[in-house]
Amino acid sequence: LEDYLFCFAIGHSGRLLERLQFADLPVILAERSIRALGANGRSFDSVRTDHATGAAMALRHLAELGHERVTMLCDPFSPTRPLLEEGFSRASAELGFDAEHTHTGTIDTHGSSPFDAIDAFLDRCREHGTTAALIHSDEAALLMLHHAQRRGWSVPRDLSIVSYDDELSELAHPPLTAVAPPKQALGERAVLLALRRLQDPEAPIERVELLPSMRIRSSTSAPISPPAP
């Protein structure tokens, strides 16, 4: 296995791209994808979660429960964020959610004032009559849940919450409904792509997308009442 390289890219920095362009070993990107554009003359095999569809799955679940005003909160530094926002925007339009009352926001859970951001988010939910939220990541969803409960909100009565990641969601009280990226399957497919590339260096480049799954728990229900003050 010393003859290949896995690259779990943190971002699309110019320095990283330059290093990858001239790597002598096969490169497999996991949860990232780089296209051969402009100065980047080399493409790479990649396997990633279809996060845009993951966001859409969450919204369909909420729509099926009867929610019409749904919002989303994301980690501002996550490379997953643009894909979630794309899927959220597209699915919101397709499901007929009221654009005037559908909003998105960000929360830096490692910043100096995450609870100020949560308070502002909950205030917007109350103002717009929002009854459900998709929150990335699990850490942010847990902070939202606990702080909302401290403010007297009940989940899911006042606000249904869907977490995106499903690493800690089941440990919450109530356990959080979550979108779960197929992390084990993704790693297995990356290994297979690496082995294939070693066996046939001239094989066509593959860009694989795997669908996440919905795990329904106790944090979502049909809308019952408007959010508490």
Side-chain angles (χ1 to χ4, degrees), residues 69 99-103 121-131 227:
R69 297 186 178 187
E100 182 180 354
H101 299 288
T102 300
H103 59 275
F121 184 80
L122 291 173
D123 289 342
R124 288 198 302 273
C125 287
R126 184 177 62 233
E127 177 184 354
H128 292 281
T130 301
T131 59

Side-chain angles (χ1 to χ4, degrees), residues 33 38 63 92 107 134 153 168 218 224:
S33 180
S92 295
I107 177 174
L134 169 62
W153 292 42
L168 303 170
S218 304
I224 298 173

Side-chain angles (χ1 to χ4, degrees), residues 95-178:
L95 292 166
F97 289 158
D98 186 347
E100 182 180 354
H101 299 288
T102 300
H103 59 275
T104 61
T106 61
I107 177 174
D108 179 6
T109 56
H110 302 288
S112 59
S113 56
F115 293 111
D116 289 345
I118 291 175
D119 281 329
F121 184 80
L122 291 173
D123 289 342
R124 288 198 302 273
C125 287
R126 184 177 62 233
E127 177 184 354
H128 292 281
T130 301
T131 59
L134 169 62
I135 303 176
H136 175 268
S137 61
D138 280 6
E139 185 176 0
L142 287 170
L143 284 177
M144 172 67 67
L145 171 66
H146 295 155
H147 195 58
Q149 289 172 333
R150 283 197 292 268
R151 284 185 50 167
W153 292 42
S154 174
V155 175
R157 187 191 66 203
D158 297 322
L159 184 71
S160 285
I161 295 178
V162 178
S163 176
Y164 196 99
D165 221 11
D166 199 39
E167 292 183 345
L168 303 170
S169 300
E170 196 171 11
L171 303 178
H173 182 72
L176 295 172
T177 293

Side-chain angles (χ1 to χ4, degrees), residues 19-209:
R19 291 181 63 187
L20 293 180
Q21 293 297 311
F22 298 101
D24 293 330
L25 301 176
V27 175
I28 311 298
L29 302 180
E31 284 292 25
R32 303 293 182 268
S33 180
I34 298 174
R35 296 183 180 274
L37 298 174
N40 306 319
R42 181 181 175 189
S43 292
F44 304 97
D45 293 301
S46 63
V47 54
R48 68 186 306 170
T49 303
D50 185 349
H51 294 297
T53 296
M57 291 167 64
L59 265 64
R60 281 197 298 272
H61 166 65
L62 294 169
E64 288 169 358
L65 290 173
H67 293 277
E68 298 178 352
R69 297 186 178 187
V70 179
T71 189
M72 182 171 70
L73 193 67
C74 283
D75 180 338
F77 305 110
S78 171
T80 303
R81 175 188 169 191
L83 301 171
L84 292 176
E85 290 178 338
E86 174 193 344
F88 182 88
S89 176
R90 186 175 65 242
S92 295
E94 292 174 352
L95 292 166
F97 289 158
D98 186 347
E100 182 180 354
H101 299 288
T102 300
H103 59 275
T104 61
T106 61
I107 177 174
D108 179 6
T109 56
H110 302 288
S112 59
S113 56
F115 293 111
D116 289 345
I118 291 175
D119 281 329
F121 184 80
L122 291 173
D123 289 342
R124 288 198 302 273
C125 287
R126 184 177 62 233
E127 177 184 354
H128 292 281
T130 301
T131 59
L134 169 62
I135 303 176
H136 175 268
S137 61
D138 280 6
E139 185 176 0
L142 287 170
L143 284 177
M144 172 67 67
L145 171 66
H146 295 155
H147 195 58
Q149 289 172 333
R150 283 197 292 268
R151 284 185 50 167
W153 292 42
S154 174
V155 175
R157 187 191 66 203
D158 297 322
L159 184 71
S160 285
I161 295 178
V162 178
S163 176
Y164 196 99
D165 221 11
D166 199 39
E167 292 183 345
L168 303 170
S169 300
E170 196 171 11
L171 303 178
H173 182 72
L176 295 172
T177 293
V179 180
K183 297 179 181 180
Q184 180 172 336
L186 188 145
E188 293 171 352
R189 187 59 183 269
V191 171
L192 292 176
L193 286 174
L195 294 174
R196 174 180 175 273
R197 183 58 52 195
L198 285 171
Q199 294 166 359
D200 185 3
E202 302 304 318
I205 296 292
E206 289 192 42
R207 296 194 184 102
V208 180
E209 285 192 326

